[in-house]
Each structure stands twice: as C-alpha cells, then as structure tokens.
Amino acid sequence: AQSVAQPEDQVNVAEGNPLTVKCTYSVSGNPYLFWYVQYPNRGLQFLLKYITGDNLVKGSYGFEAEFNKSQTSFHLKKPSALVSDSALYFCAVRRSGNTGKLIFGQGTTLQVKP
Amino acid sequence: DGGITQSPKYLFRKEGQNVTLSCEQNLNHDAMYWYRQDPGQGLRLIYYSQIVNDFQKGDIAEGYSVSREKKESFPLTVTSAQKNPTAFYLCASSISRGRDTQYFGPGTRLTVL
C-alpha cells in the first residue's frame, strides 16, 4: 500500500538550533516527494520537491530535504530555526501512475521557541 | 496562495442544505483538486480534474459533487448527503497531472450548524 508517515506529531526546537522534521514513505516505483508548510487558517505553501537527481534538495526559506532511497525517507531540515518557522508541515508523495494524485502525511507541528 | 482564490473564507450551513465552494485559478493550470482537512488527519482527496469537462472521484467523494465547465474554475458542492461536512476545504491546481507541483488556495472553513 502507498503511504506517507510523519512519526512526530510535534517537534520542539530552540531558535537558532538546527531542526529536522521526519518523513518516511512507501510507494511503488520512483517516488516524487514534496514538503508543504501551513500557517493557521491558511492554505498550504510549497517548500520543495524531489523528483530525481541530487539527494539534497534546497527549497524556500532556507529549508532543505534529504532523500534517502535505502531508508525510504525524505526528512526536512534547516540549519538554524526561526520563531517564524513555527507552523504545520506536511510531507507528500505522488501516487504511482500518471494521475498526479498526492498522498499526504498526518502533519508535524513545529514549535520554535525564542 | 497567489493565483488561486477560494471563496468564501468562512461558510456556515444548516443541516440539510447544499452549499457550493468556489475555486478559481488564473495560472492557466490544466489540473485542479479538492481536499478536505480535518485535525490530525492530513489532507484527503475529494475530487480531481485533469482537463475541462472531465473529473474523477478521489478517496472521499461520497456526499460531494463538482463541475469543470471552465479551465479556471472548479466549484465543489457539499450536499446534504455528506454526513460530517464541517471541515477545512482546500483547492489546488497544477500545470498538468504527473510530477508537477500542486499549488493551494487559502481554503474555506465550512461549519454546519
């Protein structure tokens, strides 16, 4: 079955420290992976995606993600967290086939404390 | 959120009433999607459309209907058959199906009174 798992409901970090939000996936074929961020009562904003190529993907607002095929993971990272990074983060994988449909994880709330 | 508008932002409905949520995009995207978001459940796909005059059911289509008469518009109707319609509804679009990134609108929060 195709699925995405975000094992942590919430991640707490201090401002200035590095952050990691975890994502693992299960999909047949080559995965297309995405990270989105959502602020309260807003739509999702696209951060970055992995389609092919370099395993380290750089995205918006200083975020990056590392694709690890052997561990079927796509963890989101940032070297130095900001209070303004506090939000809900979603990992998503495109389903097999050519429909463009995405499977979303449950979401991880990131809390950055000053 | 730029390029995709959803209206209204907040919507209240009495039980037994149908209600239509608007989604418009000016990005010239072929594909459009409707998702439902409930706390702790991520996003679930309701309907999607890859081209004008064509649409397919997603994972939770029961109690919902859509139309795609114009490329830029993909309205969602929540019917009285939807048992638990209170949720946050998100519309998205992408250039085409496949590997393209989906971009999201600001969402509509529907509350059934």
Side-chain angles (χ1 to χ4, degrees), chain A residues 35-97:
Chain A
W35 273 103
Y36 289 87
V37 60
Q38 184 181 35
Y39 295 96
N41 294 310
R42 302 288 298 276
L44 275 64
Q45 296 179 31
F46 169 71
L47 282 178
L48 51 80
K49 67 180 177 183
Y50 172 83
I51 301 297
T52 187
D54 194 348
N55 289 343
L56 185 64
V57 179
K58 294 188 182 298
S60 304
Y61 312 119
F63 284 94
E64 59 189 26
E66 185 169 12
F67 171 65
N68 188 317
K69 188 173 184 178
S70 63
Q71 297 185 7
T72 61
S73 68
F74 189 54
H75 300 333
L76 181 70
K77 300 180 180 183
K78 187 174 183 181
S80 179
L82 300 172
V83 173
S84 57
D85 292 330
S86 298
L88 182 59
Y89 290 80
F90 288 100
C91 179
V93 64
R94 198 203 72 167
R95 302 185 196 195
S96 303

Side-chain angles (χ1 to χ4, degrees), chain B residues 53-66:
Chain B
N53 292 322
D54 185 51
F55 50 83
Q56 287 81 39
K57 293 181 179 180
D59 300 316
I60 55 165
E62 185 176 353
Y64 300 97
S65 65
V66 294

Side-chain angles (χ1 to χ4, degrees), chain B:
Chain B
D1 298 349
I4 304 174
T5 58
Q6 291 186 241
S7 61
K9 186 172 180 65
Y10 298 96
L11 188 57
F12 298 90
R13 186 197 95 174
K14 293 182 180 179
E15 281 193 28
Q17 290 181 335
N18 293 354
V19 63
T20 297
L21 282 59
S22 169
C23 177
E24 303 277 334
Q25 55 98 359
N26 62 3
L27 302 170
N28 200 33
H29 286 176
D30 283 325
M32 296 186 75
Y33 308 81
W34 273 107
Y35 293 91
R36 171 181 171 138
Q37 183 178 15
D38 296 282
Q41 293 194 45
L43 276 68
R44 293 181 289 168
L45 182 65
I46 305 172
Y47 267 98
Y48 65 103
S49 169
Q50 295 171 337
I51 197 168
V52 175
N53 292 322
D54 185 51
F55 50 83
Q56 287 81 39
K57 293 181 179 180
D59 300 316
I60 55 165
E62 185 176 353
Y64 300 97
S65 65
V66 294
S67 63
R68 186 83 187 279
E69 298 177 0
K70 299 187 295 182
K71 187 175 184 178
E72 58 270 23
S73 179
F74 191 41
L76 173 74
T77 296
V78 184
T79 75
S80 57
Q82 169 52 232
K83 298 304 180 187
N84 185 21
T86 295
F88 191 49
Y89 290 87
L90 289 159
C91 178
S93 70
S94 63
I95 295 174
S96 66
R97 63 187 182 186
R99 67 179 69 183
D100 300 307
T101 302
Q102 292 184 22
Y103 294 94
F104 285 78
T108 292
R109 185 166 298 279
L110 172 65
T111 303
V112 175
L113 303 172

